[in-house]
PDB file of all heavy atoms in Angstrom:
ATOM      1  N   LEU A1259      -8.729  -2.992 -10.255  1.00  0.00           N
ATOM      2  CA  LEU A1259      -9.071  -1.925 -11.268  1.00  0.00           C
ATOM      3  C   LEU A1259     -10.549  -1.982 -11.672  1.00  0.00           C
ATOM      4  O   LEU A1259     -11.133  -0.902 -11.922  1.00  0.00           O
ATOM      5  CB  LEU A1259      -8.178  -2.226 -12.440  1.00  0.00           C
ATOM      6  CG  LEU A1259      -6.770  -1.721 -12.291  1.00  0.00           C
ATOM      7  CD1 LEU A1259      -5.867  -2.497 -13.328  1.00  0.00           C
ATOM      8  CD2 LEU A1259      -6.629  -0.252 -12.571  1.00  0.00           C
ATOM      9  N   LYS A1260     -11.192  -3.153 -11.724  1.00  0.00           N
ATOM     10  CA  LYS A1260     -12.569  -3.237 -12.043  1.00  0.00           C
ATOM     11  C   LYS A1260     -13.468  -2.713 -10.959  1.00  0.00           C
ATOM     12  O   LYS A1260     -14.619  -2.225 -11.084  1.00  0.00           O
ATOM     13  CB  LYS A1260     -12.926  -4.602 -12.525  1.00  0.00           C
ATOM     14  CG  LYS A1260     -12.364  -4.942 -13.851  1.00  0.00           C
ATOM     15  CD  LYS A1260     -12.829  -6.339 -14.366  1.00  0.00           C
ATOM     16  CE  LYS A1260     -12.314  -6.630 -15.779  1.00  0.00           C
ATOM     17  NZ  LYS A1260     -12.768  -8.018 -16.241  1.00  0.00           N
ATOM     18  N   ALA A1261     -12.993  -2.941  -9.736  1.00  0.00           N
ATOM     19  CA  ALA A1261     -13.769  -2.517  -8.538  1.00  0.00           C
ATOM     20  C   ALA A1261     -13.776  -0.979  -8.435  1.00  0.00           C
ATOM     21  O   ALA A1261     -14.578  -0.362  -7.748  1.00  0.00           O
ATOM     22  CB  ALA A1261     -13.217  -3.113  -7.244  1.00  0.00           C
ATOM     23  N   SER A1262     -12.776  -0.389  -9.026  1.00  0.00           N
ATOM     24  CA  SER A1262     -12.714   1.150  -9.002  1.00  0.00           C
ATOM     25  C   SER A1262     -13.525   1.599 -10.208  1.00  0.00           C
ATOM     26  O   SER A1262     -13.072   1.731 -11.346  1.00  0.00           O
ATOM     27  CB  SER A1262     -11.247   1.571  -9.249  1.00  0.00           C
ATOM     28  OG  SER A1262     -10.374   0.866  -8.410  1.00  0.00           O
ATOM     29  N   ASN A1263     -14.846   1.822  -9.952  1.00  0.00           N
ATOM     30  CA  ASN A1263     -15.780   2.093 -11.050  1.00  0.00           C
ATOM     31  C   ASN A1263     -16.168   3.543 -11.273  1.00  0.00           C
ATOM     32  O   ASN A1263     -17.139   3.852 -11.977  1.00  0.00           O
ATOM     33  CB  ASN A1263     -17.037   1.202 -10.878  1.00  0.00           C
ATOM     34  CG  ASN A1263     -17.604   1.425  -9.521  1.00  0.00           C
ATOM     35  OD1 ASN A1263     -17.374   2.419  -8.813  1.00  0.00           O
ATOM     36  ND2 ASN A1263     -18.461   0.437  -9.121  1.00  0.00           N
ATOM     37  N   LYS A1264     -15.386   4.443 -10.616  1.00  0.00           N
ATOM     38  CA  LYS A1264     -15.579   5.890 -10.910  1.00  0.00           C
ATOM     39  C   LYS A1264     -14.463   6.374 -11.729  1.00  0.00           C
ATOM     40  O   LYS A1264     -13.285   6.241 -11.348  1.00  0.00           O
ATOM     41  CB  LYS A1264     -15.621   6.681  -9.583  1.00  0.00           C
ATOM     42  CG  LYS A1264     -16.756   6.320  -8.681  1.00  0.00           C
ATOM     43  CD  LYS A1264     -16.663   7.119  -7.327  1.00  0.00           C
ATOM     44  CE  LYS A1264     -17.701   6.607  -6.417  1.00  0.00           C
ATOM     45  NZ  LYS A1264     -17.555   7.274  -5.102  1.00  0.00           N
ATOM     46  N   PHE A1265     -14.760   6.765 -12.930  1.00  0.00           N
ATOM     47  CA  PHE A1265     -13.750   7.193 -13.915  1.00  0.00           C
ATOM     48  C   PHE A1265     -13.727   8.657 -14.049  1.00  0.00           C
ATOM     49  O   PHE A1265     -14.374   9.265 -14.976  1.00  0.00           O
ATOM     50  CB  PHE A1265     -13.824   6.472 -15.223  1.00  0.00           C
ATOM     51  CG  PHE A1265     -14.124   5.035 -15.085  1.00  0.00           C
ATOM     52  CD1 PHE A1265     -15.209   4.418 -15.761  1.00  0.00           C
ATOM     53  CD2 PHE A1265     -13.406   4.164 -14.257  1.00  0.00           C
ATOM     54  CE1 PHE A1265     -15.457   3.039 -15.605  1.00  0.00           C
ATOM     55  CE2 PHE A1265     -13.615   2.863 -14.057  1.00  0.00           C
ATOM     56  CZ  PHE A1265     -14.672   2.287 -14.784  1.00  0.00           C
ATOM     57  N   ARG A1266     -13.038   9.402 -13.151  1.00  0.00           N
ATOM     58  CA  ARG A1266     -13.078  10.901 -13.248  1.00  0.00           C
ATOM     59  C   ARG A1266     -12.162  11.413 -14.397  1.00  0.00           C
ATOM     60  O   ARG A1266     -12.481  12.534 -14.972  1.00  0.00           O
ATOM     61  CB  ARG A1266     -12.554  11.440 -11.850  1.00  0.00           C
ATOM     62  CG  ARG A1266     -13.404  11.029 -10.732  1.00  0.00           C
ATOM     63  CD  ARG A1266     -12.910  11.760  -9.491  1.00  0.00           C
ATOM     64  NE  ARG A1266     -13.545  11.139  -8.264  1.00  0.00           N
ATOM     65  CZ  ARG A1266     -14.812  11.421  -7.822  1.00  0.00           C
ATOM     66  NH1 ARG A1266     -15.480  12.288  -8.502  1.00  0.00           N
ATOM     67  NH2 ARG A1266     -15.258  10.847  -6.747  1.00  0.00           N
ATOM     68  N   PHE A1267     -11.171  10.647 -14.685  1.00  0.00           N
ATOM     69  CA  PHE A1267     -10.285  11.081 -15.861  1.00  0.00           C
ATOM     70  C   PHE A1267     -10.113   9.852 -16.746  1.00  0.00           C
ATOM     71  O   PHE A1267     -10.419   8.742 -16.379  1.00  0.00           O
ATOM     72  CB  PHE A1267      -8.989  11.600 -15.373  1.00  0.00           C
ATOM     73  CG  PHE A1267      -9.120  12.793 -14.495  1.00  0.00           C
ATOM     74  CD1 PHE A1267      -9.209  12.711 -13.146  1.00  0.00           C
ATOM     75  CD2 PHE A1267      -9.141  14.060 -15.079  1.00  0.00           C
ATOM     76  CE1 PHE A1267      -9.324  13.859 -12.370  1.00  0.00           C
ATOM     77  CE2 PHE A1267      -9.248  15.222 -14.379  1.00  0.00           C
ATOM     78  CZ  PHE A1267      -9.372  15.140 -12.942  1.00  0.00           C
ATOM     79  N   SER A1268      -9.555  10.057 -17.921  1.00  0.00           N
ATOM     80  CA  SER A1268      -9.441   8.939 -18.919  1.00  0.00           C
ATOM     81  C   SER A1268      -8.428   7.900 -18.537  1.00  0.00           C
ATOM     82  O   SER A1268      -7.504   8.116 -17.692  1.00  0.00           O
ATOM     83  CB  SER A1268      -9.005   9.519 -20.258  1.00  0.00           C
ATOM     84  OG  SER A1268      -9.863  10.524 -20.710  1.00  0.00           O
ATOM     85  N   SER A1269      -8.544   6.738 -19.182  1.00  0.00           N
ATOM     86  CA  SER A1269      -7.542   5.616 -18.967  1.00  0.00           C
ATOM     87  C   SER A1269      -6.944   5.330 -20.358  1.00  0.00           C
ATOM     88  O   SER A1269      -7.675   5.166 -21.319  1.00  0.00           O
ATOM     89  CB  SER A1269      -8.316   4.373 -18.367  1.00  0.00           C
ATOM     90  OG  SER A1269      -8.722   4.626 -17.094  1.00  0.00           O
ATOM     91  N   TYR A1270      -5.625   5.117 -20.370  1.00  0.00           N
ATOM     92  CA  TYR A1270      -4.917   4.815 -21.548  1.00  0.00           C
ATOM     93  C   TYR A1270      -4.068   3.545 -21.284  1.00  0.00           C
ATOM     94  O   TYR A1270      -3.200   3.636 -20.320  1.00  0.00           O
ATOM     95  CB  TYR A1270      -4.082   5.928 -22.048  1.00  0.00           C
ATOM     96  CG  TYR A1270      -4.831   7.191 -22.400  1.00  0.00           C
ATOM     97  CD1 TYR A1270      -4.904   8.218 -21.493  1.00  0.00           C
ATOM     98  CD2 TYR A1270      -5.402   7.373 -23.654  1.00  0.00           C
ATOM     99  CE1 TYR A1270      -5.573   9.361 -21.848  1.00  0.00           C
ATOM    100  CE2 TYR A1270      -6.103   8.517 -23.997  1.00  0.00           C
ATOM    101  CZ  TYR A1270      -6.212   9.530 -23.046  1.00  0.00           C
ATOM    102  OH  TYR A1270      -6.917  10.635 -23.394  1.00  0.00           O
ATOM    103  N   PHE A1271      -4.215   2.512 -22.054  1.00  0.00           N
ATOM    104  CA  PHE A1271      -3.506   1.271 -21.805  1.00  0.00           C
ATOM    105  C   PHE A1271      -2.566   1.076 -23.015  1.00  0.00           C
ATOM    106  O   PHE A1271      -3.004   0.801 -24.119  1.00  0.00           O
ATOM    107  CB  PHE A1271      -4.405   0.096 -21.616  1.00  0.00           C
ATOM    108  CG  PHE A1271      -5.308   0.216 -20.459  1.00  0.00           C
ATOM    109  CD1 PHE A1271      -6.564   0.817 -20.554  1.00  0.00           C
ATOM    110  CD2 PHE A1271      -4.857  -0.209 -19.171  1.00  0.00           C
ATOM    111  CE1 PHE A1271      -7.379   0.975 -19.455  1.00  0.00           C
ATOM    112  CE2 PHE A1271      -5.705  -0.044 -18.037  1.00  0.00           C
ATOM    113  CZ  PHE A1271      -6.978   0.496 -18.186  1.00  0.00           C
ATOM    114  N   THR A1272      -1.203   1.246 -22.857  1.00  0.00           N
ATOM    115  CA  THR A1272      -0.346   1.077 -23.949  1.00  0.00           C
ATOM    116  C   THR A1272       0.091  -0.390 -24.122  1.00  0.00           C
ATOM    117  O   THR A1272       0.155  -1.133 -23.256  1.00  0.00           O
ATOM    118  CB  THR A1272       0.980   1.943 -23.875  1.00  0.00           C
ATOM    119  OG1 THR A1272       1.722   1.466 -22.674  1.00  0.00           O
ATOM    120  CG2 THR A1272       0.581   3.409 -23.497  1.00  0.00           C
ATOM    121  N   TYR A1273       0.435  -0.730 -25.360  1.00  0.00           N
ATOM    122  CA  TYR A1273       0.916  -2.079 -25.632  1.00  0.00           C
ATOM    123  C   TYR A1273       1.972  -2.027 -26.794  1.00  0.00           C
ATOM    124  O   TYR A1273       1.908  -1.080 -27.548  1.00  0.00           O
ATOM    125  CB  TYR A1273      -0.216  -3.028 -25.953  1.00  0.00           C
ATOM    126  CG  TYR A1273      -0.906  -2.666 -27.306  1.00  0.00           C
ATOM    127  CD1 TYR A1273      -0.554  -3.326 -28.450  1.00  0.00           C
ATOM    128  CD2 TYR A1273      -1.891  -1.716 -27.323  1.00  0.00           C
ATOM    129  CE1 TYR A1273      -1.161  -2.975 -29.686  1.00  0.00           C
ATOM    130  CE2 TYR A1273      -2.537  -1.381 -28.543  1.00  0.00           C
ATOM    131  CZ  TYR A1273      -2.185  -2.055 -29.682  1.00  0.00           C
ATOM    132  OH  TYR A1273      -2.771  -1.731 -30.932  1.00  0.00           O
ATOM    133  N   HIS A1274       2.783  -3.044 -26.779  1.00  0.00           N
ATOM    134  CA  HIS A1274       3.844  -3.156 -27.864  1.00  0.00           C
ATOM    135  C   HIS A1274       3.441  -4.385 -28.693  1.00  0.00           C
ATOM    136  O   HIS A1274       3.313  -5.435 -28.182  1.00  0.00           O
ATOM    137  CB  HIS A1274       5.192  -3.284 -27.213  1.00  0.00           C
ATOM    138  CG  HIS A1274       6.301  -3.627 -28.270  1.00  0.00           C
ATOM    139  ND1 HIS A1274       6.612  -2.732 -29.285  1.00  0.00           N
ATOM    140  CD2 HIS A1274       7.089  -4.710 -28.428  1.00  0.00           C
ATOM    141  CE1 HIS A1274       7.574  -3.309 -29.957  1.00  0.00           C
ATOM    142  NE2 HIS A1274       7.820  -4.393 -29.479  1.00  0.00           N
ATOM    143  N   SER A1275       3.472  -4.228 -29.980  1.00  0.00           N
ATOM    144  CA  SER A1275       3.222  -5.323 -30.970  1.00  0.00           C
ATOM    145  C   SER A1275       1.766  -5.803 -30.896  1.00  0.00           C
ATOM    146  O   SER A1275       1.045  -5.511 -31.866  1.00  0.00           O
ATOM    147  CB  SER A1275       4.131  -6.541 -30.673  1.00  0.00           C
ATOM    148  OG  SER A1275       3.980  -7.550 -31.580  1.00  0.00           O
ATOM    149  N   LYS A1276       1.282  -6.445 -29.871  1.00  0.00           N
ATOM    150  CA  LYS A1276      -0.105  -6.814 -29.763  1.00  0.00           C
ATOM    151  C   LYS A1276      -0.503  -6.831 -28.304  1.00  0.00           C
ATOM    152  O   LYS A1276       0.288  -6.968 -27.416  1.00  0.00           O
ATOM    153  CB  LYS A1276      -0.336  -8.189 -30.410  1.00  0.00           C
ATOM    154  CG  LYS A1276       0.365  -9.337 -29.728  1.00  0.00           C
ATOM    155  CD  LYS A1276      -0.028 -10.680 -30.366  1.00  0.00           C
ATOM    156  CE  LYS A1276       0.745 -11.819 -29.631  1.00  0.00           C
ATOM    157  NZ  LYS A1276       0.387 -13.089 -30.300  1.00  0.00           N
ATOM    158  N   TYR A1277      -1.845  -6.675 -28.136  1.00  0.00           N
ATOM    159  CA  TYR A1277      -2.369  -6.541 -26.722  1.00  0.00           C
ATOM    160  C   TYR A1277      -3.020  -7.929 -26.385  1.00  0.00           C
ATOM    161  O   TYR A1277      -3.530  -8.693 -27.251  1.00  0.00           O
ATOM    162  CB  TYR A1277      -3.296  -5.433 -26.551  1.00  0.00           C
ATOM    163  CG  TYR A1277      -4.477  -5.387 -27.515  1.00  0.00           C
ATOM    164  CD1 TYR A1277      -5.590  -6.193 -27.431  1.00  0.00           C
ATOM    165  CD2 TYR A1277      -4.433  -4.500 -28.599  1.00  0.00           C
ATOM    166  CE1 TYR A1277      -6.610  -6.168 -28.290  1.00  0.00           C
ATOM    167  CE2 TYR A1277      -5.412  -4.452 -29.574  1.00  0.00           C
ATOM    168  CZ  TYR A1277      -6.563  -5.222 -29.361  1.00  0.00           C
ATOM    169  OH  TYR A1277      -7.594  -5.264 -30.309  1.00  0.00           O
ATOM    170  N   GLU A1278      -2.970  -8.129 -25.052  1.00  0.00           N
ATOM    171  CA  GLU A1278      -3.630  -9.385 -24.589  1.00  0.00           C
ATOM    172  C   GLU A1278      -5.207  -9.127 -24.463  1.00  0.00           C
ATOM    173  O   GLU A1278      -5.636  -8.012 -24.282  1.00  0.00           O
ATOM    174  CB  GLU A1278      -3.097  -9.745 -23.138  1.00  0.00           C
ATOM    175  CG  GLU A1278      -1.575 -10.028 -23.124  1.00  0.00           C
ATOM    176  CD  GLU A1278      -1.308 -11.373 -23.839  1.00  0.00           C
ATOM    177  OE1 GLU A1278      -2.217 -12.094 -24.095  1.00  0.00           O
ATOM    178  OE2 GLU A1278      -0.098 -11.637 -24.010  1.00  0.00           O
ATOM    179  N   MET A1279      -5.925 -10.202 -24.499  1.00  0.00           N
ATOM    180  CA  MET A1279      -7.452 -10.054 -24.394  1.00  0.00           C
ATOM    181  C   MET A1279      -7.804  -9.433 -23.092  1.00  0.00           C
ATOM    182  O   MET A1279      -8.750  -8.689 -22.972  1.00  0.00           O
ATOM    183  CB  MET A1279      -8.023 -11.488 -24.440  1.00  0.00           C
ATOM    184  CG  MET A1279      -9.543 -11.532 -24.304  1.00  0.00           C
ATOM    185  SD  MET A1279     -10.126 -13.249 -24.280  1.00  0.00           S
ATOM    186  CE  MET A1279      -9.413 -13.835 -22.711  1.00  0.00           C
ATOM    187  N   GLU A1280      -7.069  -9.842 -22.007  1.00  0.00           N
ATOM    188  CA  GLU A1280      -7.359  -9.234 -20.668  1.00  0.00           C
ATOM    189  C   GLU A1280      -7.228  -7.744 -20.638  1.00  0.00           C
ATOM    190  O   GLU A1280      -7.971  -6.980 -19.964  1.00  0.00           O
ATOM    191  CB  GLU A1280      -6.457  -9.869 -19.585  1.00  0.00           C
ATOM    192  CG  GLU A1280      -6.729 -11.328 -19.304  1.00  0.00           C
ATOM    193  CD  GLU A1280      -6.076 -12.290 -20.316  1.00  0.00           C
ATOM    194  OE1 GLU A1280      -5.384 -11.776 -21.273  1.00  0.00           O
ATOM    195  OE2 GLU A1280      -6.143 -13.487 -20.121  1.00  0.00           O
ATOM    196  N   LEU A1281      -6.232  -7.204 -21.363  1.00  0.00           N
ATOM    197  CA  LEU A1281      -5.996  -5.760 -21.343  1.00  0.00           C
ATOM    198  C   LEU A1281      -7.118  -5.084 -22.159  1.00  0.00           C
ATOM    199  O   LEU A1281      -7.592  -3.959 -21.769  1.00  0.00           O
ATOM    200  CB  LEU A1281      -4.649  -5.412 -22.012  1.00  0.00           C
ATOM    201  CG  LEU A1281      -4.178  -4.025 -21.850  1.00  0.00           C
ATOM    202  CD1 LEU A1281      -3.888  -3.682 -20.406  1.00  0.00           C
ATOM    203  CD2 LEU A1281      -2.934  -3.686 -22.636  1.00  0.00           C
ATOM    204  N   GLU A1282      -7.526  -5.694 -23.165  1.00  0.00           N
ATOM    205  CA  GLU A1282      -8.631  -5.209 -24.046  1.00  0.00           C
ATOM    206  C   GLU A1282      -9.918  -5.093 -23.214  1.00  0.00           C
ATOM    207  O   GLU A1282     -10.675  -4.115 -23.242  1.00  0.00           O
ATOM    208  CB  GLU A1282      -8.867  -6.056 -25.310  1.00  0.00           C
ATOM    209  CG  GLU A1282      -9.959  -5.505 -26.173  1.00  0.00           C
ATOM    210  CD  GLU A1282     -10.182  -6.412 -27.387  1.00  0.00           C
ATOM    211  OE1 GLU A1282      -9.946  -7.613 -27.355  1.00  0.00           O
ATOM    212  OE2 GLU A1282     -10.635  -5.887 -28.458  1.00  0.00           O
ATOM    213  N   GLU A1283     -10.193  -6.179 -22.470  1.00  0.00           N
ATOM    214  CA  GLU A1283     -11.402  -6.249 -21.652  1.00  0.00           C
ATOM    215  C   GLU A1283     -11.337  -5.165 -20.585  1.00  0.00           C
ATOM    216  O   GLU A1283     -12.382  -4.410 -20.282  1.00  0.00           O
ATOM    217  CB  GLU A1283     -11.596  -7.579 -20.995  1.00  0.00           C
ATOM    218  CG  GLU A1283     -11.922  -8.696 -22.001  1.00  0.00           C
ATOM    219  CD  GLU A1283     -11.988 -10.012 -21.348  1.00  0.00           C
ATOM    220  OE1 GLU A1283     -11.649 -10.115 -20.092  1.00  0.00           O
ATOM    221  OE2 GLU A1283     -12.367 -11.004 -22.013  1.00  0.00           O
ATOM    222  N   LEU A1284     -10.195  -4.979 -19.943  1.00  0.00           N
ATOM    223  CA  LEU A1284     -10.070  -3.971 -18.906  1.00  0.00           C
ATOM    224  C   LEU A1284     -10.210  -2.588 -19.448  1.00  0.00           C
ATOM    225  O   LEU A1284     -10.951  -1.745 -18.819  1.00  0.00           O
ATOM    226  CB  LEU A1284      -8.744  -4.094 -18.222  1.00  0.00           C
ATOM    227  CG  LEU A1284      -8.416  -3.123 -17.030  1.00  0.00           C
ATOM    228  CD1 LEU A1284      -9.407  -3.298 -15.972  1.00  0.00           C
ATOM    229  CD2 LEU A1284      -7.002  -3.343 -16.575  1.00  0.00           C
ATOM    230  N   SER A1285      -9.613  -2.276 -20.584  1.00  0.00           N
ATOM    231  CA  SER A1285      -9.769  -1.026 -21.226  1.00  0.00           C
ATOM    232  C   SER A1285     -11.193  -0.687 -21.614  1.00  0.00           C
ATOM    233  O   SER A1285     -11.725   0.389 -21.342  1.00  0.00           O
ATOM    234  CB  SER A1285      -8.913  -0.996 -22.504  1.00  0.00           C
ATOM    235  OG  SER A1285      -9.088   0.216 -23.225  1.00  0.00           O
ATOM    236  N   SER A1286     -11.909  -1.734 -22.048  1.00  0.00           N
ATOM    237  CA  SER A1286     -13.363  -1.503 -22.406  1.00  0.00           C
ATOM    238  C   SER A1286     -14.138  -1.320 -21.121  1.00  0.00           C
ATOM    239  O   SER A1286     -15.053  -0.362 -21.169  1.00  0.00           O
ATOM    240  CB  SER A1286     -13.917  -2.783 -23.087  1.00  0.00           C
ATOM    241  OG  SER A1286     -15.332  -2.690 -23.380  1.00  0.00           O
ATOM    242  N   PHE A1287     -13.878  -1.962 -20.076  1.00  0.00           N
ATOM    243  CA  PHE A1287     -14.613  -1.752 -18.774  1.00  0.00           C
ATOM    244  C   PHE A1287     -14.379  -0.431 -18.245  1.00  0.00           C
ATOM    245  O   PHE A1287     -15.316   0.255 -17.773  1.00  0.00           O
ATOM    246  CB  PHE A1287     -14.116  -2.792 -17.771  1.00  0.00           C
ATOM    247  CG  PHE A1287     -14.767  -2.665 -16.444  1.00  0.00           C
ATOM    248  CD1 PHE A1287     -16.009  -3.209 -16.072  1.00  0.00           C
ATOM    249  CD2 PHE A1287     -14.141  -1.870 -15.400  1.00  0.00           C
ATOM    250  CE1 PHE A1287     -16.616  -3.092 -14.887  1.00  0.00           C
ATOM    251  CE2 PHE A1287     -14.709  -1.795 -14.172  1.00  0.00           C
ATOM    252  CZ  PHE A1287     -15.919  -2.387 -13.925  1.00  0.00           C
TER     253      PHE A1287
END
Side-chain angles (χ1 to χ4, degrees):
L1259 280 159
K1260 288 184 176 179
S1262 313
N1263 53 18
K1264 296 175 186 174
F1265 315 130
R1266 302 184 189 278
F1267 298 93
S1268 304
S1269 293
Y1270 299 97
F1271 298 92
T1272 69
Y1273 67 94
H1274 172 65
S1275 185
K1276 63 179 182 179
Y1277 53 79
E1278 300 287 352
M1279 177 184 67
E1280 291 83 356
L1281 192 67
E1282 182 182 28
E1283 290 176 355
L1284 181 60
S1285 176
S1286 177
F1287 177 83

